[in-house]
Amino acid sequence: MSEAEAPFRPREKLVERQKYFQSIHKHTYLKGPYDKITSVAIPIALAATCCFMIGRGIYNMSHGIGKKE
């Protein structure tokens, strides 16, 4: 048999990163550097877009705009 494959990162580095992330007093889903974008900004952008499109649809319906003949 061949030797065991070396890990991608040394165990010491992994332990350091685990201690760092466990010491941060934030919610689990906001600990990474880009997690605020994926957990906060994208859902807010989707909600704002939906609200805008619903509002535009209600406005168009109430004024009779965009009807097909």
Side-chain angles (χ1 to χ4, degrees), residues 6-69:
F8 290 114
R9 290 179 184 248
R11 185 170 297 279
E12 296 81 26
K13 290 278 187 187
L14 287 174
V15 171
E16 279 179 29
R17 287 186 68 85
Q18 279 180 339
K19 284 181 184 175
Y20 169 72
F21 279 113
Q22 288 170 359
S23 69
I24 297 176
H25 294 294
K26 289 184 184 177
H27 294 291
T28 306
Y29 56 90
L30 294 176
K31 286 189 177 182
Y34 298 108
D35 288 343
K36 285 182 184 160
I37 295 171
T38 57
S39 296
V40 179
I42 292 174
I44 288 175
L46 286 172
T49 303
C50 291
C51 289
F52 170 75
M53 293 178 80
I54 290 169
R56 188 175 69 176
I58 291 170
Y59 177 82
N60 287 348
M61 280 194 299
S62 62
H63 289 86
I65 301 171
K67 290 195 301 183
K68 293 183 180 176
E69 292 185 35

